[in-house]
Amino acid sequence: MKQFILIISLLTVISKSILAQAPYKLPDLGYAYNALEPYIDSTTMYIHLNKHHNAYVNNLNNALKGTNGENLKITELLAEISKYSDAIRNNAGGHYNHSLFWTILTPKKNTAPDKELMEAINTSFTSLDSLRTLMNKAASMRFGSGWAWLYIDQNKKLAVGSSPNQDNPLMDASPIHGTPILGIDVWEHAYYLKYQNRRGDYLSAIWNVINWEEVTRRYHEVIPKAKGKFDDWPEIISFHEVLASTFHPAEEGDFSAIRNRSGELSSKASALATSKIPAQFNKKEVIDVLSKLSSTTKALDKLVHKKSSDKTLMKSLTAVHDSFHQIVERCK
Ligand code: MN3
């Protein structure tokens, strides 16, 4: 019986954490309090999490008691926050915003947006630098306490804006609407110990610890990652990797890669010829070239074993390369 109760309470804990419903809990930072130094100091991080954020969590849990909001996911609650008290609005925002904030900071150096997010940034703001400038402008113009946001608006485009207090773009009551993917806390408690009144210095420093991998992950929760053409056909990707790293050096006169890897290339071609072809490419004209690729690659491997001249190898390797591009062409 005891074990049964334990399992039931475990399941309750698990389902609550997945749904992110009341009662809410203070999250872990995922890094040490001093990990963001010298940009954000250890004491600020400690107080910010354990005093400020913790108060939002406790106040939110108390304010929600007995309201319908107890049964909603936090995002659902924020979407209809205008129906609730100011206490719920401020503390639900406080909990959501800080939970996001800890994840978009990192001690890891040189994180970067992925290619798709970078293209979206370039399209909307011309460059990452101008995005930073716009964010800092939004953050420094926010009078009093609030947040600056990079968010995905209702047309699925990136936008920059700011909100007062603990509001955010997920709230129906907010002047800006969408899904936040990067938020900068511009409450004085976020920077006063180290920067005092110099909000601008804090805003310049924080870009050193922005976690672009997490911002990218949040971006793709709304904008699905574009599927690569051959994502479902690992054998063709694997063949192409070896081909690219042997053909291009040979073009520049370096035949050592192909002399070392012709056997590997040949076995990748056989694996490709016998692989499960994704339905959209499974047609006779593709299959014909697959077997041609396999035989041209085998012939190349034989020539390598016979220690043929560079010129002979280049001719054979070019035939392999041509067959490969015929496959790609026919897969259009
Ligand atoms: Mn704060």
Side-chain angles (χ1 to χ4, degrees):
M1 189 62 187
K2 263 190 181 163
Q3 277 159 328
F4 178 72
I5 292 172
L6 183 67
I7 289 169
I8 293 297
S9 41
L10 268 177
L11 285 176
T12 312
V13 168
I14 291 167
S15 67
K16 287 227 164 112
S17 67
I18 289 170
L19 295 172
Q21 275 176 1
Y24 294 99
K25 276 197 194 156
L26 193 65
D28 286 329
L29 275 189
Y31 41 84
Y33 296 115
N34 66 0
L36 307 179
E37 289 196 354
Y39 309 107
I40 304 179
D41 62 288
S42 181
T43 312
T44 295
M45 289 303 286
Y46 180 84
I47 295 174
H48 202 170
L49 177 73
N50 293 291
K51 305 294 175 188
H52 295 277
H53 189 171
N54 196 45
Y56 298 125
V57 171
N58 292 333
N59 294 340
L60 175 61
N61 288 332
N62 288 332
L64 275 177
K65 262 180 207 149
T67 71
N68 182 49
E70 263 189 312
N71 309 311
L72 300 178
K73 288 194 235 174
I74 185 110
T75 46
E76 294 168 337
L77 176 65
L78 296 173
E80 52 175 57
I81 204 73
S82 60
K83 294 182 186 168
Y84 294 85
S85 66
D86 282 351
I88 294 179
R89 176 170 171 175
N90 292 331
N91 291 295
H95 176 49
Y96 182 91
N97 297 348
H98 287 86
S99 300
L100 178 145
F101 189 56
W102 311 131
T103 67
I104 60 94
L105 298 176
T106 181
K108 211 166 147 185
K109 298 286 164 228
N110 305 318
T111 66
D114 77 351
K115 195 167 160 265
E116 290 169 51
L117 174 55
M118 191 59 106
E119 278 171 14
I121 289 171
N122 290 340
T123 304
S124 296
F125 315 111
T126 71
S127 71
L128 192 54
D129 268 346
S130 26
L131 164 62
R132 286 191 199 107
T133 306
L134 280 171
M135 282 285 285
N136 286 2
K137 199 174 161 196
S140 46
M141 283 172 64
R142 169 53 50 198
F143 183 76
S145 300
W147 289 76
W149 302 104
L150 171 65
Y151 64 102
I152 302 169
D153 71 12
Q154 288 162 321
N155 301 316
K156 308 267 184 208
K157 297 281 178 237
L158 290 176
V160 164
S162 80
S163 58
N165 307 316
Q166 293 296 353
D167 285 359
N168 69 44
L170 291 169
M171 290 182 176
D172 61 348
S174 164
I176 52 173
H177 293 287
T179 306
I181 61 172
L182 196 178
I184 299 180
D185 188 344
V186 287
W187 283 56
E188 281 189 344
H189 68 226
Y191 60 87
Y192 202 85
L193 288 182
K194 185 175 171 73
Y195 297 97
Q196 292 83 46
N197 62 331
R198 302 187 310 276
R199 189 187 275 190
D201 290 353
Y202 158 71
L203 292 173
S204 315
I206 201 168
W207 294 102
N208 292 292
V209 287
I210 292 294
N211 185 351
W212 283 105
E213 287 169 11
E214 175 63 14
V215 179
T216 300
R217 192 193 65 74
R218 287 175 181 269
Y219 176 74
H220 287 303
E221 278 189 343
V222 181
I223 312 285
K225 226 174 156 43
K227 235 172 156 296
K229 183 178 174 185
F230 291 125
D231 278 0
D232 298 329
W233 201 359
E235 291 85 357
I236 199 165
I237 293 172
S238 171
F239 176 86
H240 181 246
E241 276 166 9
V242 183
L243 180 63
S245 49
T246 52
F247 180 74
H248 299 299
E251 275 186 309
E252 283 163 18
D254 176 4
F255 287 80
S256 58
I258 189 58
R259 287 186 194 278
N260 287 327
R261 300 183 75 183
S262 63
E264 187 188 354
L265 190 65
S266 172
S267 63
K268 297 269 183 203
S270 312
L272 176 56
T274 55
S275 64
K276 186 172 180 295
I277 306 172
Q280 69 271 34
F281 306 134
N282 198 348
K283 37 192 183 185
K284 189 175 179 300
E285 71 229 61
V286 173
I287 296 166
D288 287 349
V289 214
L290 279 180
S291 58
K292 190 175 154 203
L293 180 74
S294 190
S295 60
T296 52
T297 313
K298 247 179 222 146
L300 170 64
D301 188 39
K302 268 188 196 154
L303 291 172
V304 167
H305 280 278
K306 284 201 278 187
K307 305 211 183 305
S308 306
S309 70
D310 289 354
K311 200 179 160 195
T312 309
L313 290 190
M314 193 64 218
K315 205 175 151 198
S316 177
L317 186 54
T318 303
V320 171
H321 187 255
D322 290 349
S323 317
F324 180 76
H325 280 280
Q326 276 177 33
I327 298 173
V328 174
E329 196 61 31
R330 289 177 188 201
C331 284
K332 265 183 185 157

